[in-house]
Amino acid sequence: MGNVTVIGAQWGDEGKGKIVDWLASRADMVVRFQGGHNAGHTLVVGNETYKLSLLPSGIVRGTPSVIGNGVVLDPWALKAEIEKIAAQGLSITPDVLMIAETCPLILPIHRDLDALREDASGAGKIGTTRRGIGPAYEDKVGRRAIRVCDLAHLGQLDPLLDRLCAHHDHLRAGFGWPPVDRDRLKRDLEGIADFVLAFARPVWRDLDEARRRGRRILFEGAQGVLLDVDHGTYPFVTSSNTVAGTTGSGSGMGPSAAGFVLGIVKAYTTRVGSGPFPTELSDEVGQRLGERGHEFGTVTGRQRRCGWFDAVLVRQSAAVSGITGIALTKIDVLDGMETVKICTGYRIGDKTYDYLPPHAADQARAEPIYEEMPGWSGTTAGARSWADLPAQAIKYVRRIEELIRCPVALVSTSPQRDDTILVSDPFAS
Ligand code: IMP
């Protein structure tokens, strides 16, 4: 029994929540290793719906859960999320939630900067979640972040603030904003320190111990491979590495920790925010996908852009992220369509491509080359075995497998946990 890493193989929002919840109920530990509260995972447990942004999904079932060093942590958002979950009857204690002492903090000044830059960028704006994710990661690699461990040494904040403010005050002045209110920032940090420190630990040691004891660890990715800062549709990406290769560096484990890499793949494509999207549909088919798939962002409530399945992009995601098998989600949204299309290549100018070239201008001009298949009239919703699926739906799934060069490990046919066709168990592989 090895570890499992779950990542989105498109632009996020592939329906990771349900799959992660199912796997988390069988894992000994759940670990978030990148991103922050820009993520949005919806978990339906019994009659209760939980919406998590920062907390690892294991928390809902009491599985020990880790926020790794690769995450950027907004302590006030953490407190609000824990209080929200508590109001739903779940108390989050330090036995269940462990936070890496080396996590960089997202501060109010990061949120300010995210919004200021987006507002000033005109047509070049990225469409971020405005949660300060990018600026917080910049400060981390710029070596001026305040980290969780700094909350235990509040008397020594001044040199850190000197370095941080020297940078931010210039940026803010450029936007016509006043310098950072250092006293207020200090007071805010003093006010939240004890709350965060109660969960802070050298989590790398807990994870090492878990590994030595043969415990099953589930790594829970956020966003998707196409939003990866290196491999995604740059610059329209998030500021972290979302690929499975980040599990080790983002948690404090070795490179082999990832185990079975399960790529979550939606049976069509969606995207929130700006950036290229070759198979986007601005007609009534796209609208229908959005309505039937309830395609609204969990975090920002923004309407998601919708389009046909893009096999070129998913094949690329599978390659750069070492995906072992995929979980295909939301196939029921395609029920009743007369025909379905799959993108198998792009035409850019007079050239054709079987991958997405890296330049944003080429990506923006990429015209999809489609393969068309008949749709199916029966329903896939609630199917629990291949025999429950219409023959044409099975052909669609098999064609996807062929085109992306990756096997299907499971097919999810509704938000309910049991409505799943299990082909191979990631934990048993
Ligand atoms: P940021 O992560 O807030 O900087 O946003 C950068 C880009 O990533 C924007 O296009 C966001 O819409 C997108 N993004 C960030 N988090 C998620 C997510 O959890 N799901 C889908 N898109 C996301």
Side-chain angles (χ1 to χ4, degrees), residues 248-269:
S249 61
S251 66
M253 295 190 81
S256 60
F260 186 106
V261 180
L262 183 68
I264 314 296
V265 174
K266 193 158 18 185
Y268 49 101
T269 314

Side-chain angles (χ1 to χ4, degrees), residues 11-13 16 38-41 114 126-134 222-224 227 236-239 271-274 299 302 304:
W11 278 293
D13 309 314
K16 288 187 277 298
N38 49 349
H41 292 172
D114 201 351
I126 288 165
T128 72
T129 59
R130 293 174 176 249
R131 306 235 150 157
I133 305 291
Q223 292 86 45
L227 289 169
F236 302 101
V237 293
T238 191
S239 297
R271 165 161 216 175
V272 250
S274 328
V299 172
R302 287 180 291 177
R304 297 177 186 142

Side-chain angles (χ1 to χ4, degrees), residues 137-427:
Y137 274 119
E138 288 164 31
D139 280 349
K140 169 184 171 171
V141 296
R143 294 158 295 180
R144 50 181 177 265
I146 310 272
R147 303 189 298 169
V148 167
C149 55
D150 295 316
L151 298 174
H153 300 274
L154 289 170
Q156 289 152 48
L157 270 186
D158 276 329
L160 304 185
L161 288 176
D162 287 345
R163 198 157 52 226
L164 185 68
C165 296
H167 183 78
H168 278 265
D169 286 348
H170 281 296
L171 289 173
R172 293 165 70 95
F175 287 108
W177 268 47
V180 177
D181 183 342
R182 285 177 63 140
D183 291 337
R184 175 151 184 212
L185 180 54
K186 266 181 160 173
R187 278 199 308 277
D188 288 347
L189 289 170
E190 280 161 14
I192 200 76
D194 288 345
F195 181 83
V196 179
L197 288 173
F199 302 101
R201 296 176 55 83
V203 299
W204 60 271
R205 278 203 338 204
D206 300 303
L207 291 169
D208 189 47
E209 201 49 40
R211 181 182 67 80
R212 288 173 192 282
R213 293 182 179 199
R215 299 285 191 252
R216 292 198 272 203
I217 302 174
L218 174 67
F219 292 96
E220 178 181 2
Q223 292 86 45
V225 174
L226 301 173
L227 289 169
D228 182 279
V229 68
D230 285 291
H231 298 288
T233 47
Y234 192 92
F236 302 101
V237 293
T238 191
S239 297
S240 65
N241 282 112
T242 57
V243 290
T246 319
T247 49
S249 61
S251 66
M253 295 190 81
S256 60
F260 186 106
V261 180
L262 183 68
I264 314 296
V265 174
K266 193 158 18 185
Y268 49 101
T269 314
T270 61
R271 165 161 216 175
V272 250
S274 328
F277 182 172
T279 62
E280 182 169 14
L281 295 167
S282 42
D283 57 7
E284 68 281 1
V285 180
Q287 209 174 334
R288 179 171 165 187
L289 290 174
E291 280 162 15
R292 295 194 53 170
H294 309 291
E295 298 295 354
F296 291 92
T298 319
V299 172
T300 58
R302 287 180 291 177
Q303 195 167 354
R304 297 177 186 142
R305 300 154 66 192
C306 297
W308 292 119
F309 186 78
D310 190 333
V312 182
L313 285 180
V314 176
R315 181 167 63 226
Q316 201 161 325
S317 290
V320 300
S321 208
I323 291 176
T324 323
I326 66 159
L328 192 69
T329 63
K330 297 183 102 167
I331 188 166
D332 52 301
V333 172
L334 300 178
D335 286 355
M337 294 220 160
E338 220 160 274
T339 53
V340 283
K341 292 185 185 178
I342 301 179
C343 172
T344 57
Y346 305 118
R347 202 167 287 111
I348 303 175
D350 52 9
K351 280 193 180 161
T352 57
Y353 289 81
D354 64 357
Y355 70 98
L356 190 68
H359 198 277
D362 286 336
Q363 295 182 352
R365 285 193 308 142
E367 286 173 40
I369 300 168
Y370 284 121
E371 189 174 291
E372 198 166 316
M373 298 176 77
W376 48 93
S377 52
T379 177
T380 60
R384 296 183 184 186
S385 77
W386 289 114
D388 296 337
L389 291 182
Q392 208 48 51
I394 297 178
K395 281 193 188 153
Y396 182 69
V397 178
R398 293 299 184 212
R399 187 63 185 136
I400 285 177
E401 274 184 318
E402 228 166 60
L403 287 168
I404 66 169
R405 295 179 172 170
C406 207
V408 165
L410 38 117
V411 183
S412 161
T413 57
S414 98
Q416 294 305 318
R417 201 139 73 106
D418 295 334
D419 292 342
T420 303
I421 302 170
L422 182 62
V423 183
S424 59
D425 183 346
F427 271 126

